[in-house]
Every structure is written in C-alpha cells, then in structure tokens.
Amino acid sequence: MLVTSIKRWLAPPVFEGAEEKTRQASLINMVCITSLAFTLAVMVGALMGGKTPVSTLIIDLVACAVTLQFRHWLRSGRVMLARVGMVIFGLVFITAVTADIGTIRTPTAAILLFWVLMTGLIFDRRGIVIGTIAASMAVLGLIAAENAGWLRPPFYDVGVTQWVTFTALFGFTSGLTYYINQGTKSALALARKEIEQRKQAEQSLKAANEELHLRVFEVQRLQVELHEQAIHDPLTGLYNRRYLSDALAREIIQAKRANSSLTFVMADIDHFKFVNDSYGHLAGDEVLVQVASLLKKHARGSDIACRYGGEEFLLVFPGTSLELAHKRAEEIQQNCAALSIQHEGKNIAVMLSFGVAAYPDHGQQWEQIIVKADKALYQSKCNGRNQVTIFRDEELPT
C-alpha cells in the first residue's frame, strides 16, 4: 500500500487531450524529483559531516519546500509557472549556497553545471543559451564579491559533505544525461516509425490511386461500350435510328458550311416477308446480316450506314451528288443480286430497292429529305422492285 502511494505521488500529472502539456509536465516532474532528491542527499551529507554552516542547511530546507510548491503548481495545471519558477529559483538557490559558504571553490559552484543542463532540458536551445549566460554572470558576480571581501570567511574544510555532494552531483547529472539520451533515442525511433508509416501510407495511396485509375478506365471503357451499344443495331452492327438525330443534324450543318450536297439513300429488302415465312426468322436474320455487311463494305469512312427499321436501311453520303449516289446505289444493288445466301442447304436470293434524295435539292432539313428518299423507295417498289429511283416531285403511282 505504501509503495503504491509513493508511486502515485511520484507519477507525473496527465492532462487529457493535451499531449504537449503532459510531456512538459512529465519533464518538470522529473526535474523536481531529481532536484529534491539531490538537495536531501546534500543535507544528509552535511549532517553526517557536521561542519556545514547552519544557514546552508536552512537554505536547503527552503529549497525542498519551494520544490514541493513547484510540484503543487504542476499538478494543478500551471505547468509554465512551474517551469519558469524552477529555473529562476535554481539559480538563486545555487548562488545563495555558494555565497553562504564564502567561496566558489566548493562543489556547490559546480552544481551550476547541473542547473545549465536542467535549464536546457526544460527550455531546449533557448534554455541552454540563457542558462549558460546566467550561470556565467552568477560566477562572475561571486568572484567579484569574494575578491572584494563581501562574502563571509571561506569554509575550506572538506569531508563527507563534499563527498556526498560530488557523488550526488555525478549521479543526478548522469541521470539527466541518460534521460536526454533515452529521449533522443525515443524521438529517433518515433521519427523512423513515422517515416515508415508515411511510406506505407504513400504506398497505400499510390495503390489506391492506381486502383482508382483502373476503375475510372474501366468505367470509361464501359461507358464507351454502352454508348456504342446504344447507337448500334445489335444484329447487324450498323448504326440505329437513335444515332441519326445528332449525326444528321451535324452533317447538314457541315454541308451548309461547305456548300456541298448530302445524299440520302433509303434501301429495302424485296419480299423479305416471304423469306421469313418460307425459311424462318433465323434465315431472315442471316439475310439482314449479309445485306448489312454488303452495305458496310461499300460505305466510305465518311459515310453513314444505318438500319432504319425492320428490313429497311439508310445510307448517307456526304459530298456526293445525286447522280454519283445513284451510281453507287446501283453497284450495291447489283452486288446484292449476286449474293448467294445459304441456309439449311437452301439458296436464298436477295434483291434491294432504293430511293435517293439529297440536300439541298430536296429540302433543308434532314427529316424532310428522308421522307422524300422513302417516297422514292416507294416508287421503286411500285415500278417492279430491284431498282434505284431518285426522288421527283411528280405524282406517285397509286
């Protein structure tokens, strides 16, 4: 129980949520306990020696009381007051004891080294500078006072008191040095740990960034894929009607800017219902795929090939006149007639009918031109199919 109480009394105060304040309090607590133990050791040596002036013992007792007051301030949270008070009183105490003995040629004067070390420990580099200057001025003042005869007659006898004083000084100075060394090692270890943690964090962040880039790339790839799926016909791979609205509006603008023509060719598979009814829908799908492949083969890079709906297709030729578009449509028609589509051992013949209309000959808006191309296609159907017709404003056959 007694040991527990002593440990609790010696333990430094802890201030929740104030790590730096707790660290400073721990340091001051250690200095207070060390100073208190050092002063008590010196007092014991003085009593054992029996030659130390009574006034020196009184000064030592005052030092113990003041040190206890510093610990009280420390535990009540007044850490800065305890730090400043410890440094100032330490210098006054050492100077007073040295002056009371009557000469600086005693172990007491050497305690200034301990005090400078303590000041540097409490206030870092600033403490070392201030402590060195203050100790130097105190020694200079004591020398001047001693030489002027202002001090009491010097006490030169040596014995147990001086031995205890030197031993305590060596021990406590070594202890402070060990504390500083351990603190430095702990700081270096903490720095190495923080560097390692930072490296690990950077590696984790790098890996996360790489993963994020991969995910972004994958999302972009899926977006492109979904976009392609949205604007292409899944069976034939040609563009679908969803694609046409923006594409044809853009093509019209470019044709106006370039003052060139934009030709629309509407194509339809002749007797496609007969193919489905006679050979089945799988055969009909194969015919659509083959026709789409033929259209893509004859399309230039700037052309647009679209499955307009069912067995109907739309070709858009930028910068192409009506006559040239008519000729290209006839080439496609002839190549289609030469196709030999095999399905379950049966040969399926395919023919196409075409209707042709162009900007600006047949309208300023692409919707108008498609309507007229579709009317021209209807004329081809009415005229016997398997042919190409350019739109004319003449009355359509009934």
Side-chain angles (χ1 to χ4, degrees):
M1 188 69 178
L2 178 62
V3 175
T4 304
S5 299
I6 293 174
K7 286 183 177 180
R8 186 181 299 112
W9 186 83
L10 292 175
V14 176
F15 304 101
E16 295 293 337
E19 182 178 347
E20 179 60 22
K21 187 176 181 180
T22 299
R23 186 191 69 81
Q24 292 179 1
S26 176
L27 176 62
I28 299 300
N29 183 71
M30 184 272 295
V31 173
C32 285
I33 292 174
T34 301
S35 301
L36 187 63
F38 177 78
T39 304
L40 291 174
V42 171
M43 290 177 61
V44 171
L47 293 173
M48 291 174 62
K51 297 180 181 180
T52 303
V54 176
S55 58
T56 301
L57 294 175
I58 294 174
I59 293 174
D60 289 340
L61 286 173
V62 171
C64 291
V66 173
T67 303
L68 291 174
Q69 179 61 40
F70 291 152
R71 291 201 76 234
H72 174 71
W73 287 344
L74 197 63
R75 290 186 171 277
S76 62
R78 291 177 284 184
V79 177
M80 179 57 70
L81 182 61
R83 292 171 69 191
V84 175
M86 174 68 70
V87 170
I88 294 175
F89 179 76
L91 180 62
V92 173
F93 165 73
I94 297 169
T95 304
V97 171
T98 304
D100 186 63
I101 294 176
T103 178
I104 65 169
R105 301 178 184 88
T106 63
T108 306
I111 301 176
L112 284 171
L113 295 174
F114 173 81
W115 178 82
V116 172
L117 181 61
M118 180 190 73
T119 305
L121 189 62
I122 294 175
F123 288 102
D124 299 326
R125 289 182 298 179
R126 180 177 53 184
I128 293 175
V129 174
I130 295 175
T132 301
I133 295 174
S136 176
M137 297 303 295
V139 170
L140 182 61
L142 288 169
I143 291 174
E146 184 176 353
N147 291 335
W150 295 345
L151 304 181
R152 64 183 296 170
F155 179 75
Y156 289 110
D157 292 343
V158 294
V160 176
T161 301
Q162 286 69 34
W163 173 74
V164 171
T165 301
F166 273 119
T167 302
L169 178 62
F170 298 153
F172 291 123
T173 303
S174 299
L176 279 179
T177 305
Y178 174 78
Y179 179 86
I180 295 172
N181 184 51
Q182 289 299 109
T184 303
K185 288 182 178 179
S186 298
L188 290 174
L190 180 61
R192 285 194 293 267
K193 182 178 179 181
E194 289 179 350
I195 291 173
E196 184 63 28
Q197 290 176 343
R198 186 175 300 174
K199 287 182 178 179
Q200 293 177 355
E202 288 176 353
Q203 291 175 352
S204 300
L205 180 60
K206 183 179 179 181
N209 283 334
E210 291 177 353
E211 179 67 19
L212 179 60
H213 286 313
L214 288 175
R215 290 185 179 274
V216 170
F217 176 79
E218 181 65 17
V219 169
Q220 291 174 341
R221 187 190 66 80
L222 290 174
Q223 287 178 336
V224 171
E225 184 177 329
L226 288 173
H227 177 69
E228 290 298 310
Q229 291 177 357
I231 63 175
H232 285 85
D233 176 59
L235 177 62
T236 63
L238 299 178
Y239 288 116
N240 56 24
R241 293 184 66 168
R242 182 178 299 173
Y243 173 78
L244 286 180
S245 179
D246 291 337
L248 295 184
R250 185 171 57 250
E251 293 293 339
I252 289 289
I253 292 173
Q254 292 177 354
K256 288 181 180 179
R257 186 177 300 144
N259 195 25
S260 63
S261 59
L262 181 66
T263 307
F264 294 69
V265 178
M266 190 73 75
D268 185 86
I269 301 175
D270 295 331
H271 303 296
F272 184 73
K273 184 176 182 303
F274 174 79
V275 173
N276 278 332
D277 293 342
S278 301
Y279 303 103
H281 288 282
L282 290 179
D285 288 345
E286 181 62 24
V287 169
L288 291 171
V289 170
Q290 293 292 338
V291 171
S293 178
L294 178 65
L295 296 178
K296 284 189 285 187
K297 181 179 178 181
H298 284 268
R300 301 170 303 183
S302 60
D303 296 338
I304 298 174
C306 169
R307 184 181 179 189
Y308 198 70
E311 68 274 21
E312 199 170 31
F313 301 89
L314 175 66
L315 297 170
V316 182
F317 299 150
T320 304
S321 65
L322 280 168
E323 292 73 17
L324 182 57
H326 184 276
K327 182 179 180 181
R328 290 181 63 186
E330 285 185 334
E331 291 177 0
I332 297 172
Q333 177 221 345
Q334 293 168 7
N335 281 276
C336 183
L339 282 178
S340 179
I341 300 176
Q342 299 292 324
H343 180 76
E344 296 182 354
K346 298 178 181 179
N347 184 40
I348 303 176
V350 180
M351 294 181 296
L352 291 176
S353 294
F354 295 87
V356 183
Y359 165 86
D361 305 76
H362 301 117
Q364 297 293 314
Q365 304 297 324
W366 62 268
E367 296 92 342
Q368 299 171 338
I369 303 170
I370 286 181
V371 169
K372 292 180 179 180
D374 193 55
K375 289 181 178 180
L377 171 63
Y378 180 67
Q379 289 177 345
S380 294
K381 292 285 188 180
C382 293
N383 292 334
R385 295 183 173 83
N386 192 28
Q387 56 186 280
V388 181
T389 302
I390 296 177
F391 176 78
R392 298 287 184 266
D393 288 328
E394 60 198 34
E395 185 178 355
L396 294 175
T398 58

